[in-house]
Amino acid sequence: MKQTAIFAGGCFWCMVEPFETQPGIINVVSGYTGGHVETPTYEQVASHTTGHTEAVKITFDSDIITYKQLLEIYWQQTDPTDAMGQFQDRGDNYRPVIFVNSEEQRQLAEDSKKRLIESEQFDAPIVTKIEDAKPFYPAEEEHQEFYKKNPRRYALEEEQRKAFIDKNWK
């Protein structure tokens, strides 16, 4: 069955590939959500005046990959202890958020966050928010599938995230 998930975990450029390469993923779109400005631009979101955060909207076949599996992938792409951005990306537009679109997603997200807290994997508190999904606005075309279009720049953007993942999640 076709479903959607919306995750924010820093720069959306680095959030596409980990999901897009999984079986059962139909589409991953980079965009903006959570704010008060309709159809914002990249420049507006980067100005920290829209309330939006960069996020990815994932369309998936839940018969092949479950929302619970997507949550596991999500956690392992982020620093869940950093509320004001991710890695080199600083500011509220890079905050980590799981945007849920149903009570079932909320419960699964809350349960996964609770398991992470109880694991005591991190010394600092887990600060990733779980919020109701808001309107999602796709980003401009140049931001879609950035890892394929700009592999060198993507590799540079990904360095800190990759080092964190290797240290904390592998």
Side-chain angles (χ1 to χ4, degrees):
M1 181 168 66
K2 199 160 134 178
Q3 294 187 31
T4 60
I6 300 174
F7 300 127
C11 177
F12 49 33
W13 292 344
C14 298
M15 292 293 291
V16 174
E17 183 181 23
F19 292 102
E20 193 169 72
T21 55
Q22 300 297 317
I25 299 300
I26 298 165
N27 192 18
V28 181
V29 176
S30 296
Y32 318 108
T33 192
H36 58 271
V37 173
E38 287 188 36
T39 323
T41 65
Y42 183 80
E43 289 74 22
Q44 287 175 308
V45 174
S47 75
H48 306 280
T49 59
T50 66
H52 285 291
T53 188
E54 290 190 13
V56 290
K57 183 176 186 178
I58 302 160
T59 304
F60 64 101
D61 182 339
S62 61
D63 293 330
I64 299 171
I65 189 167
T66 65
Y67 186 73
K68 187 175 178 180
Q69 289 171 303
L70 293 177
L71 287 165
E72 291 304 312
I73 295 166
Y74 170 77
W75 288 117
Q76 295 181 29
Q77 305 313 309
T78 67
D79 176 354
T81 67
D82 188 349
M84 281 314 297
Q86 294 288 283
F87 315 106
Q88 75 274 12
D89 301 311
R90 309 312 306 155
D92 60 339
N93 56 317
Y94 296 118
R95 65 193 179 98
V97 185
I98 298 169
F99 290 98
V100 297
N101 60 33
S102 69
E103 195 49 47
E104 179 186 14
Q105 281 190 358
R106 177 173 294 285
Q107 191 58 56
L108 289 168
E110 295 284 359
D111 290 348
S112 71
K113 183 176 178 178
K114 183 178 181 211
R115 279 193 306 279
L116 182 58
I117 292 167
E118 290 172 350
S119 77
E120 298 181 351
Q121 181 173 344
F122 293 94
D123 295 330
I126 304 302
V127 297
T128 300
K129 299 282 190 206
I130 298 170
E131 299 179 5
D132 289 338
K134 311 269 187 325
F136 182 90
Y137 303 98
E140 298 82 351
E141 183 54 37
E142 65 263 24
H143 299 295
Q144 306 302 330
E145 293 189 314
F146 190 84
Y147 75 99
K148 289 180 181 177
K149 294 175 183 173
N150 297 284
R152 279 198 206 111
R153 177 135 182 236
Y154 172 71
L156 289 172
E157 293 289 331
E158 181 75 345
E159 273 181 23
Q160 285 184 356
R161 184 182 301 261
K162 187 174 177 347
F164 180 88
I165 290 168
D166 288 347
K167 179 180 178 214
N168 292 281
W169 292 106
K170 299 286 183 204

